Amino acid sequence: MMINKPSPLRVNQTLDKYNAWVLENESFARRLENVLYVVPMLVPASVGNPDVVSEVGYSMGGLLKLYHDWVLYESSAPETKPEASSFSIVQAARVPLSIISQVQVAAEIIALKAGGTQSRWNVIVLLELCKCICKLVLLTHSKGKVLYKNGPYVSCEVRPADGTTEEYTGQRSGRVFRTNKRDGTNLQPLTLSFFEPSYASGDEGPIQTAAEVLHIIRPVIYAVLCQRQTEQSWVPFLASFSTEVAGILLTTMLEAKRKKPHNDKVDEEYHRRKMCLFLYLLRNPLFSTVTSPAVEGMCHSTQPIPLLGRLVRFAVDNGLDYYQRRHFYISAS
């Protein structure tokens, strides 16, 4: 029996029709994304494992949103797009990063259910290595600029420049402010765009490059050591923590010496990295020895209080414990 495979031409025609539908019905396209986020949570356990089904649905919704964002971005004004000469290299690194960021948790859970703990860590190490390579490509291409939110496509809404803005640099903060020369407003409509994968801090050089390399390789170091050590070993925890702190100290040293105007995106990224240190409270063995007993004590103390006790217990069992068991939810990679 012959099976007719869809021709590339037919697939392209179908995609073109779907893209046109997305452009004409953006609100319905966004609702379709939400359907993929919500519906898998309603699937009964008898049909499939709730964790697997919900995470796969969430991944599919994220991938669909990413595709819709790209369709809308491609239809925007040409001046909002990067130059074609540099876009191909960046795209080759950012597309895998974006796809992995959407499917990594689902892949981790499927590997755990199908092959056990060792299979789970094999998948984690493989994905972390792929992301590390892509990030190093972005770092090399940008000549040492600060990697923003680990490099994947992150959508945002911007107003096209209308040529009537002026810049003002604060004397004390060094921040650059942009205002409209006429009335302080920009009547250009919002268009969808993506944040750049990296931003210049003004301190590009060996020290910043070393800090970025430490930031990039840290998740790989942690994953490889977790794969080879027991869950309660301090070796992965301390190796990851020391690598991360070393990178943050280098960036802090650069910030203290910086004389050029600050870049808001660079400051935001440095702040995000420092806040990610709190995720170590969710990583073993610190979680099992410090965080978990403290949280359990809070649950016991609130248990006699009507409603509050149940809410706290529900948040711990279905929130904290669930996320703590998933590497990619607390990896900050």
Side-chain angles (χ1 to χ4, degrees):
M1 180 178 178
M2 297 294 294
I3 299 177
N4 294 326
K5 296 183 179 180
S7 64
L9 178 60
R10 183 175 299 178
V11 172
N12 290 335
Q13 290 176 344
T14 303
L15 281 177
D16 290 340
K17 291 180 180 179
Y18 181 76
N19 294 346
W21 178 83
V22 171
L23 294 176
E24 295 176 0
N25 304 274
E26 181 181 352
S27 61
F28 286 103
R30 297 306 186 189
R31 291 177 187 176
L32 182 60
E33 299 165 10
N34 294 331
V35 168
L36 289 178
Y37 286 136
V38 176
V39 169
M41 300 180 184
L42 306 178
V43 175
S46 58
V47 176
N49 184 280
D51 291 347
V52 174
V53 173
S54 61
E55 290 297 346
V56 169
Y58 195 83
S59 296
M60 296 300 294
L63 289 173
L64 187 62
K65 180 183 183 303
L66 182 65
Y67 181 75
H68 288 167
D69 288 346
W70 184 255
V71 171
L72 295 169
Y73 171 73
E74 284 290 297
S75 67
S76 63
E79 58 267 17
T80 64
K81 301 177 184 178
E83 296 181 3
S85 59
S86 62
F87 191 58
S88 59
I89 300 176
V90 174
Q91 183 180 5
R94 297 189 78 185
V95 168
L97 280 173
S98 302
I99 294 176
I100 292 174
S101 68
Q102 297 297 336
V103 304
Q104 57 190 6
V105 177
E108 176 186 350
I109 294 179
I110 292 173
L112 177 63
K113 300 297 182 182
T117 303
Q118 188 60 39
S119 177
R120 169 185 176 242
W121 280 111
N122 290 340
V123 170
I124 290 173
V125 170
L126 177 62
L127 293 179
E128 291 289 13
L129 281 172
C130 291
K131 292 196 292 184
C132 179
I133 293 172
C134 293
K135 293 174 189 177
L136 289 174
V137 170
L138 291 175
L139 178 66
T140 303
H141 180 264
S142 67
K143 298 180 180 179
K145 292 182 181 179
V146 176
L147 191 66
Y148 183 69
K149 293 186 177 180
N150 293 314
Y153 285 107
V154 180
S155 61
C156 61
E157 289 186 330
V158 298
R159 292 191 188 276
D162 58 2
T164 62
T165 58
E166 60 182 4
E167 293 185 354
Y168 167 74
T169 303
Q171 295 181 356
R172 297 182 62 183
S173 66
R175 297 182 182 274
V176 178
F177 301 92
R178 294 178 176 85
T179 58
N180 193 279
K181 293 180 181 178
R182 292 179 298 183
D183 55 4
T185 61
N186 187 341
L187 300 180
Q188 296 289 333
L190 287 170
T191 59
L192 188 138
S193 184
F194 293 102
F195 289 113
E196 295 294 325
S198 54
Y199 290 88
S201 66
D203 297 311
E204 282 69 27
I207 296 179
Q208 180 170 294
T209 301
E212 291 302 298
V213 170
L214 289 174
H215 172 69
I216 290 171
I217 67 173
R218 194 275 313 164
V220 178
I221 294 174
Y222 180 71
V224 170
L225 291 176
C226 284
Q227 183 188 36
R228 300 182 179 184
Q229 301 288 330
T230 62
E231 186 178 2
Q232 296 302 318
S233 173
W234 283 94
V235 174
F237 182 94
L238 294 177
S240 175
F241 185 76
S242 59
T243 303
E244 191 143 35
V245 169
I248 291 176
L249 288 176
L250 289 177
T251 58
T252 302
M253 181 176 64
L254 289 175
E255 285 186 292
K257 296 180 179 179
R258 186 186 303 173
K259 297 180 180 179
K260 297 182 180 180
H262 288 222
N263 186 311
D264 290 342
K265 290 292 183 290
V266 173
D267 293 342
E268 179 186 343
E269 174 61 19
Y270 285 164
H271 177 71
R272 186 192 69 84
R273 294 181 187 182
K274 293 174 183 177
M275 294 301 295
C276 284
L277 291 175
F278 285 104
L279 290 174
Y280 282 92
L281 294 172
L282 300 180
R283 296 174 188 166
N284 281 321
L286 186 64
F287 177 80
S288 59
T289 57
V290 177
T291 308
S292 183
V295 171
E296 284 298 322
M298 181 181 65
C299 290
H300 287 303
S301 62
T302 58
Q303 185 176 3
I305 304 176
L307 187 60
L308 179 61
R310 291 193 175 187
L311 288 176
V312 172
R313 172 55 66 182
F314 179 83
V316 171
D317 293 343
N318 296 278
L320 182 66
D321 289 345
Y322 179 83
Y323 287 109
Q324 191 275 330
R325 293 195 300 269
R326 312 301 177 213
H327 167 82
F328 286 110
Y329 275 134
I330 61 174
S331 66
S333 63

